[in-house]
Amino acid sequence: MAPEAYAFLSGKQVPLADARVGVMTHALHYGTSVFEGIRGNWNEKHGKSYIFRLREHYERLHRGASILRMELSYSADEMCQITVDLLERCGYREDVYIRPIAFKSQELIANLRLHEVQDDFCVIIIPFGDYIDGENPIRCQTSSWRRPEDTMLPTGVKITGLYTTSILAKTEAIAAGYDEAILLNNDGTVSEGSGENLFMVRDGRISTPSETDNCLLGITRDSIIVLAREELGIEVEQRRIHRSELYLADEVFLTGTAAHVTPMGELDNRKIGSGRTGPVTAKLQEAYFDAVVGNNEKYMDWCTAVVPGGG
Ligand code: PMP
């Protein structure tokens, strides 16, 4: 039987087609929601999907929800269970993208406040392949849009309103013939991609912008920091990075749930290193792919196994 699309909304599983919100919803008007992007990776040999770092995603969602003064009905553990049950029911035997969203659900407009506005929680699951072609290094453009500063909008969590900037930047890059946008901070230092964190390799050292450089605290970023330490014996430096350092790097790569580990071949029409996937990027890509599909025993703690139909 073909898998069916279900969502979780207002406390129950419903067919995706019936998961609807009204036009007066607070979050629709004001960006008052916080979301996650999670991958379920199908392992054909095991006959299972592995959801990657599910609990960490819900911990981040809860951090964002607390900033937005949400009162959610579910703990992170309960959200994990809701997600596992939903994926079992959908029965997909392929890679999926899981999109939870906690939002100010009350139909209340002309009301600029967070308190005394009801919240709801929704999970959507869709089949999902490649977001960016990970085989070939991509061409990037430094965006004319700057990454919002944490003084403007909290940047370490996935607050919906932040994504207007990401979307402006990505649209600009694509229209100019590039694959992805790199956003700088207001002071001109490097923050991240439109939907990815950024790492730079130079003389065997790996660096990434730090938490105070307004980047999202990415779960792939954290996984790469662990894999670099465990698999390559390299401690990633978290520090401010100048734009011109990227031009001079041996390798630059982007990381994200959707983008995995994506090598950057070119930035602003300058080749990065050889322009091809560098050796450090390639090793981390391989280690990451093994970990996310449940092929490395050492990182099974990162994987939540789901059998289609419940099994
Ligand atoms: N930065 C931004 C702006 C993002 O949207 C994402 C994707 N969630 C990332 C970085 C990477 O985060 P993660 O590895 O948790 O997917």
Side-chain angles (χ1 to χ4, degrees), residues 123-156:
V123 187
I124 299 157
I125 305 181
I126 56 165
F128 197 64
D130 282 346
Y131 177 70
I132 297 182
D133 166 13
E135 291 291 306
N136 299 306
I138 59 166
R139 296 179 61 242
C140 297
Q141 179 190 41
T142 302
S143 185
S144 70
W145 295 97
R146 296 284 164 112
R147 173 75 178 165
E149 304 272 313
D150 190 76
T151 51
M152 304 165 185
L153 199 55
T155 51

Side-chain angles (χ1 to χ4, degrees), residues 57 60 147 158 163 166 192-197 216 218-221 255-257:
H57 278 283
R60 185 170 66 186
R147 173 75 178 165
K158 288 174 75 74
Y163 282 80
S166 288
E192 59 177 353
S194 68
E196 307 86 16
N197 289 113
L216 181 72
I219 286 160
T220 319
R221 174 183 183 273
T255 65
T257 297

Side-chain angles (χ1 to χ4, degrees), residues 198-207 239 241-253 264-267 270-276 278 281:
L198 179 145
F199 288 76
M200 171 182 91
V201 184
R202 193 170 174 198
D203 298 332
R205 296 158 84 109
I206 310 179
S207 317
R239 64 167 178 88
I241 294 179
H242 285 149
R243 172 184 187 166
S244 58
E245 286 188 88
L246 298 183
Y247 296 151
L248 302 174
D250 300 323
E251 303 175 36
V252 177
F253 61 89
M264 186 193 292
E266 220 183 277
L267 177 63
R270 289 160 181 85
K271 235 185 224 182
I272 306 291
S274 66
R276 291 191 295 276
T281 308

